[in-house]
């Protein structure tokens, strides 16, 4: 079972971390190459735009999956922060339900369309890269965000049922970086005080 978890974690990290990192590095290097060829050598390369667009799509869509996993998307929590735990769970669940329904409705038509590009032999104009490959991260994005939303809904239901583990998790996720840093400093001081007493 641990082996399967490690494999799953590795695949998830490949999709959400390693591929976007490679896409970002490729995007940056090709951009620098394009600037060099255009302004120094005076010989602009038309193929670079296609590769840059593809790298950008892969970077943004798959990187957004990682941001969702880490709950790092920008959010406005002015009203959310003043609610009690159950209020937070209800509002978060409503938002996640909206995302889950929207992405579930969009998943199959998007998959059919993007897969259909291959059967219609749709390719990019310069490098002849199959458009299915170019746009496939969108389907991955829909699938991953849908799964993360469903997992969040499960956790919010557990909070409403009074499960203390999930209540603590929700309260910790709602803390700002400053609050977390203060708590960590207090815990560290308490740990050092205990060591001195012993």
């Amino acid at each position: 079972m641990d082996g399967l978890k490690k494999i799953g974690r590795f695949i998830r990290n490949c999709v959400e971390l390693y591929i976007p990192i490679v896409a970002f590095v490729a995007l940056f290097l090709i951009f620098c190459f394009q600037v060099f060829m255009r302004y120094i050598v005076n010989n602009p390369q038309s193929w670079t735009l296609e590769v840059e667009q593809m790298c950008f799509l892969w970077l943004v869509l798959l990187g957004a999956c990682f941001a969702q996993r880490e709950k790092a998307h920008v959010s406005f929590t002015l009203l959310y922060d003043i609610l009690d735990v159950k209020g937070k769970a209800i509002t978060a669940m409503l938002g996640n339900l909206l995302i889950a329904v929207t992405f579930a409705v969009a998943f199959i038509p998007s998959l059919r369309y993007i897969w259909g590009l291959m059967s219609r032999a749709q390719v990019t104009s310069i490098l002849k890269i199959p458009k299915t490959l170019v746009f496939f991260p969108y389907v991955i994005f829909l699938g991953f965000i849908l799964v993360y939303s469903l997992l969040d809904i499960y956790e919010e239901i557990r909070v409403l049922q009074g499960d203390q583990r999930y209540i603590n998790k929700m309260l910790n996720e709602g803390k700002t970086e400053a609050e977390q840093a203060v708590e960590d400093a207090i815990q560290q001081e308490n740990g050092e005080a205990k060591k001195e007493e012993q």
Side-chain angles (χ1 to χ4, degrees):
M1 193 67 173
D2 283 342
L4 288 175
K5 283 185 180 179
K6 284 181 181 176
I7 292 169
R9 196 175 303 118
F10 175 74
I11 291 170
R12 187 168 75 162
N13 284 336
C14 280
V15 171
E16 297 178 350
L17 276 175
Y18 307 140
I19 292 174
I21 288 169
V22 169
F24 176 77
V25 170
L27 178 63
F28 179 75
L29 293 175
I30 290 168
F31 174 77
C32 292
F33 173 76
Q34 179 186 36
V35 169
F36 175 78
M37 293 301 289
R38 180 179 297 273
Y39 296 107
I40 307 299
V41 181
N42 208 16
N43 181 20
Q45 303 292 306
S46 57
W47 62 268
T48 56
L49 183 62
E50 275 188 7
V51 178
E52 286 172 343
Q53 289 172 343
M54 181 174 163
C55 289
F56 183 76
L57 280 172
W58 282 75
L59 167 65
V60 170
L61 292 172
L62 299 183
C65 297
F66 179 74
Q68 181 72 14
R69 179 197 341 180
E70 296 294 313
K71 300 195 182 342
H73 283 291
V74 175
S75 57
F76 299 97
T77 60
L78 185 65
L79 296 175
Y80 178 84
D81 288 341
I82 62 173
L83 297 172
D84 64 354
V85 177
K86 288 195 175 182
K88 288 179 180 184
I90 290 168
T91 55
M93 186 164 53
L94 290 174
N96 283 315
L97 274 170
L98 181 63
I99 291 169
V101 169
T102 304
F103 280 48
V105 168
F107 185 79
I108 297 298
S110 298
L111 180 62
R112 282 185 183 151
Y113 175 76
I114 290 170
W115 203 256
L117 293 172
M118 188 166 53
S119 63
R120 294 190 297 275
Q122 295 279 324
V123 294
T124 59
S125 55
I126 298 168
L127 293 176
K128 306 302 181 196
I129 299 169
K131 287 192 175 180
T132 299
L133 178 65
V134 174
F135 297 116
F136 199 73
Y138 182 66
V139 175
I140 297 170
F141 165 74
L142 290 176
F144 272 61
I145 299 295
L146 176 60
V147 169
Y148 285 138
S149 297
L150 293 173
L151 291 172
D152 287 344
I153 289 168
Y154 169 77
E155 290 182 4
E156 288 142 13
I157 289 170
R158 296 304 303 263
V159 169
L160 292 173
Q161 291 173 340
D163 190 323
Q164 195 60 46
R165 180 175 148 223
Y166 290 100
I167 290 171
N168 292 339
K169 185 177 179 189
M170 177 171 271
L171 291 174
N172 285 332
E173 286 171 354
K175 290 178 185 169
T176 65
E177 288 180 19
E179 290 171 331
Q180 192 65 49
V182 168
E183 283 190 12
D184 292 344
I186 290 170
Q187 285 179 354
Q188 187 176 5
E189 285 178 12
N190 290 340
E192 289 172 2
K194 285 180 183 177
K195 284 179 184 176
E196 288 174 7
E197 288 174 3
Q198 293 173 353

